[in-house]
Amino acid sequence: MKKIFVLFICIFMIISSALSLWATENKTVAILPFSVHSAENIDYIKNGIWDMLLSRLSSSGQIDVIKKHSITEALKKVGKKDMNEADVYGLGKELNVNFVVWGSITKIGNSISLDGRLLDVAAYKSPVGIFEQCRGMDEVIPKIGDFAKKVNYHLLGQVPPNFVPPTQTQPISQTKAPVAKSPEDSKAIKALKTPEGTYTAIINPDFIHGSRALDRKGFWMTKRYTIEFKGMDIGDVNDDGLNEVVVIDSRNVMIYQRDGKQLKLLDKIPGKTYSDNVSVDVADINENGIKEIIVTSMESGVLHSFVLEFHDGKYIKIASDLPWFLRVVDTSGIPRLLGQKPGIDKPFGKPIYEIVWENDNYARGNRMSIPEGLSVYGLTIDSIDGSKRERILALDQDDHLIAYEKTKKPISKIHVFGGSEYILWKSDEVFGGSNNYIEPGQGAQQTGDDADEKDTTYIQLRILTYDINKDGKKEIIIVKNLSGTGRLFKNIKMFTKSEIYDLEWDGLGMVENWKTRKIQGYVADYQFKDIDNDGNNEIVLAVVLSRGGILMPKSVLVAYDLKRQ
């Protein structure tokens, strides 16, 4: 009996020791509010980050986080706004904690940097630096999760299995499947070697890969043109029952038509020497049965957009000096012309309206339910889930694709700390990207002196929607232009390669159906329309191979057939 009692006492002591040891393993941490370096008041960001770090670190169950009010009282006693390492150490000793987390928040433009430090109070070691960079408000919350993970790692040596940082976005899956070469590939390679075509590096013969493979019927290219394409659209603009291709460079409007393997120039409408064409669209907005050519153009930095229409064998201006940036979007199968006047201090700061044909002229119609502050470019309106509910799809200033609920609220009221009910989804990846730009000061209502302080404004690419796989739900066809320098420089863009993506909404976010392999050249504009008049749409790319400088500018049109298996 004594042996059993002694054994029981030993077990009890072992368990007690283990529990005591486990209890001492919990770390005590004080998280101080971060100091702020910003030209604007971002206290709401500081307070939000503080609250989220308190919550994220305490959620592991292995870290005891000092309550907020205790830290506030201790900071009042210190009486300093900017504390050095010795001050932080003293505060840690006063609070009787093992570690202190403190740091700073720096906001420059749209970028936010979290520069944190972790001080081991007990050992008084040199603090560990923890840094996170956010390229916009919507990246802050995921980055706080990453920041908390790093703190956990330094405190515990590992990330607790039950620690799950919040996420707002769903990453686009990138499945890669090999695509077998077809006889069409050999034909394409041979054709590209002829003087009429371009070199083989323009398009990799294994054009498409993805989990939902498509047959490749082949592609077609024009010869190289010694101009830089700025925009392109397709439609029957001369009422002959066949589609034409309308292309713009900085000054001129050219109308072509594909005839077999050739692209014939039907007409050229020259512009003024000081013209700067920005974009082109083709649509029958005045509903007279003839599609108009709608050109956004500037003269000496001022908008002078115009519309051409075919009458009596020639193209005439039916409207000129229009004061809007113009873009046609296909809204649930109906082409709608959107217009946006320049803002006070930036080109795309004002609301977007529908532009309608009224009293033999183009006039401002109803204001669209599009967040104020979005650009009319890099935007469309359509249903993406198979229902009749339309969403706004737009590229933001950092080239992320965002799905918004319809609203007229300003962007500043939507992109707020903690998220918004109007943001349905935002991509982790970047898309779009453009070499087409407006110089600082152009388009906006500002003085020449102000212009020197402004950034270059880029004209984003289209976003197209189409039900390619015939499942009753529209997909997104979108270009990603690629640069050797990435997107580091706001005012310098040099895109030299590109990819085309097909994305589809799966209820939580966008998933990738397929993407093309890299295309040598920058896509200036693109469409999914019938260029060869065979009754089927093709992906048509206006590709810029070189932009001039030492070399002459060179551009080509590329059309690629897609046929569902």
Side-chain angles (χ1 to χ4, degrees):
M1 189 72 179
K2 283 185 178 180
K3 290 182 178 179
I4 295 174
F5 179 77
V6 171
L7 180 61
F8 175 80
I9 292 296
C10 291
I11 293 172
F12 176 79
M13 290 177 67
I14 291 170
I15 293 174
S16 298
S17 298
L19 289 172
S20 176
L21 180 62
W22 176 82
T24 59
E25 286 180 351
N26 264 30
K27 313 291 184 182
T28 54
V29 179
I31 303 170
L32 309 186
F34 282 23
S35 60
V36 171
H37 305 291
S38 174
E40 56 187 291
N41 187 343
I42 58 169
D43 283 346
Y44 68 100
I45 297 179
K46 179 183 77 172
N47 294 329
I49 288 174
W50 192 15
D51 289 337
M52 291 181 67
L53 280 176
L54 290 166
S55 172
R56 298 297 179 265
L57 291 177
S58 61
S59 68
S60 70
Q62 295 173 266
I63 299 174
D64 294 329
V65 179
I66 301 301
K67 299 295 183 184
K68 194 174 179 179
H69 66 85
S70 300
I71 294 171
T72 304
E73 291 299 320
L75 287 171
K76 286 180 181 178
K77 292 179 183 179
V78 174
K80 288 185 178 180
K81 287 186 177 180
D82 296 318
M83 295 192 296
N84 57 32
E85 187 177 319
D87 295 327
V88 173
Y89 173 73
L91 184 65
K93 296 294 284 185
E94 177 71 22
L95 292 169
N96 193 27
V97 295
N98 302 122
F99 297 89
V100 178
V101 177
W102 88 108
S104 63
I105 305 165
T106 303
K107 186 175 189 295
I108 301 175
N110 199 44
S111 297
I112 299 173
S113 300
L114 305 178
D115 188 0
R117 282 170 284 178
L118 175 66
L119 178 65
D120 187 335
V121 177
Y124 196 17
K125 296 178 180 178
S126 297
V128 176
I130 304 172
F131 180 79
E132 289 291 345
Q133 179 79 30
C134 312
R135 293 187 60 193
M137 289 297 302
D138 293 304
E139 286 191 10
V140 172
I141 292 177
K143 291 295 184 182
I144 293 297
D146 295 339
F147 189 95
K149 269 189 172 183
K150 291 177 181 178
V151 174
N152 268 275
Y153 175 80
H154 286 293
L155 293 181
L156 306 175
Q158 62 180 357
V159 179
N162 63 333
F163 183 84
V164 181
T167 56
Q168 278 191 318
T169 58
Q170 286 290 116
I172 295 177
S173 62
Q174 294 196 12
T175 54
K176 294 185 178 181
V179 180
K181 291 185 178 180
S182 69
E184 288 295 333
D185 296 337
S186 300
K187 292 179 184 178
I189 294 170
K190 187 175 180 180
L192 286 167
K193 292 180 179 178
T194 66
E196 299 301 319
T198 58
Y199 44 89
T200 55
I202 299 300
I203 295 218
N204 189 314
D206 291 332
F207 187 61
I208 292 175
H209 68 75
S211 57
R212 302 183 186 182
L214 301 174
D215 284 340
R216 300 184 311 283
K217 292 176 62 179
F219 60 85
W220 165 84
M221 287 188 199
T222 66
K223 65 180 183 179
R224 293 187 290 274
Y225 292 90
T226 54
I227 57 174
E228 182 182 343
F229 291 163
K230 297 284 289 290
M232 178 269 302
D233 203 351
I234 298 169
D236 182 6
V237 294
N238 60 7
D239 201 27
D240 65 349
L242 298 173
N243 281 342
E244 287 76 42
V245 185
V246 181
V247 178
I248 59 168
D249 62 10
S250 59
R251 296 178 185 173
N252 308 299
V253 179
M254 284 94 37
I255 296 97
Y256 297 93
Q257 191 169 66
R258 181 174 174 179
D259 183 10
K261 294 183 179 180
Q262 303 298 317
L263 189 69
K264 296 194 304 184
L265 178 64
L266 302 183
D267 211 333
K268 179 178 180 179
I269 299 92
K272 300 171 184 176
T273 56
Y274 49 86
S275 295
D276 186 11
N277 293 333
V278 173
S279 67
V280 64
D281 292 279
V282 169
D284 183 14
I285 301 301
N286 59 16
E287 299 183 338
N288 66 351
I290 304 172
K291 291 185 177 179
E292 303 107 271
I293 300 171
I294 301 160
V295 181
T296 299
S297 187
M298 307 184 78
E299 296 177 8
S300 302
V302 180
L303 279 167
H304 288 276
S305 299
F306 60 90
V307 180
L308 299 169
E309 194 170 68
F310 191 75
H311 287 286
D312 300 325
K314 62 182 180 180
Y315 294 91
I316 63 171
K317 281 188 180 180
I318 61 171
S320 58
D321 298 327
L322 300 176
W324 301 294
F325 293 103
L326 299 169
R327 176 98 289 174
V328 172
V329 298
D330 190 17
T331 307
S332 299
I334 301 172
R336 302 175 79 171
L337 179 59
L338 305 184
Q340 185 176 29
K341 283 193 173 183
I344 300 299
D345 58 351
K346 54 185 178 180
F348 304 121
K350 287 200 171 182
I352 296 172
Y353 289 82
E354 182 174 10
I355 305 302
V356 297
W357 182 256
E358 188 175 272
N359 299 324
D360 295 329
N361 206 346
Y362 294 92
R364 194 182 81 175
N366 294 326
R367 180 179 172 183
M368 303 296 292
S369 292
I370 297 172
E372 183 178 338
L374 287 180
S375 167
V376 73
Y377 299 106
L379 175 147
T380 195
I381 309 166
D382 216 333
S383 170
I384 54 175
D385 59 4
S387 69
K388 293 183 178 180
R389 185 174 182 175
E390 294 177 340
R391 264 75 179 229
I392 309 297
L393 301 169
L395 290 163
D396 69 9
Q397 62 182 2
D398 294 318
D399 294 344
H400 294 281
L401 178 62
I402 305 178
Y404 295 94
E405 297 288 359
K406 281 188 171 183
T407 179
K408 297 177 182 177
K409 285 191 172 186
I411 282 292
S412 60
K413 301 291 186 182
I414 297 173
H415 288 266
V416 293
F417 189 82
S420 168
E421 61 181 317
Y422 294 102
I423 298 177
L424 188 64
W425 173 84
K426 179 180 177 180
S427 69
D428 290 328
E429 286 193 60
V430 292
F431 295 96
S434 175
N435 287 337
N436 188 9
Y437 62 90
I438 301 172
E439 292 283 2
Q442 291 187 336
Q445 299 171 1
Q446 58 189 10
T447 65
D449 293 336
D450 294 333
D452 294 335
E453 302 176 3
K454 302 301 177 183
D455 294 321
T456 300
T457 301
Y458 288 86
I459 305 300
Q460 271 290 12
L461 292 173
R462 304 174 192 271
I463 300 174
L464 304 179
T465 55
Y466 198 85
D467 184 10
I468 294 177
N469 57 20
K470 307 298 182 184
D471 64 350
K473 187 169 63 174
K474 287 191 177 181
E475 301 137 65
I476 296 172
I477 305 170
I478 192 165
V479 165
K480 178 197 286 188
N481 280 314
L482 307 169
S483 171
T485 59
R487 286 165 162 80
L488 296 177
F489 306 105
K490 184 178 291 186
N491 293 329
I492 302 174
K493 307 285 185 181
M494 193 57 64
F495 298 107
T496 57
K497 297 181 181 179
S498 50
E499 298 169 330
I500 318 297
Y501 284 74
D502 179 286
L503 310 177
E504 186 172 357
W505 181 255
D506 71 351
L508 295 175
M510 295 292 177
V511 294
E512 179 188 311
N513 285 340
W514 51 261
K515 73 173 183 178
T516 66
R517 300 195 185 276
K518 286 184 176 62
I519 300 168
Q520 188 71 33
Y522 146 73
V523 174
D525 205 347
Y526 67 113
Q527 272 293 0
F528 188 59
K529 292 184 177 180
D530 184 10
I531 190 174
D532 56 4
N533 296 292
D534 66 349
N536 297 311
N537 288 348
E538 294 83 34
I539 292 180
V540 184
L541 313 174
V543 181
V544 178
L545 306 176
S546 62
R547 300 189 62 204
I550 298 175
L551 302 173
M552 289 288 289
K554 293 183 179 67
S555 304
V556 296
L557 290 182
V558 179
Y560 205 96
D561 288 327
L562 297 180
K563 183 180 179 183
R564 189 67 190 168
Q565 286 180 329

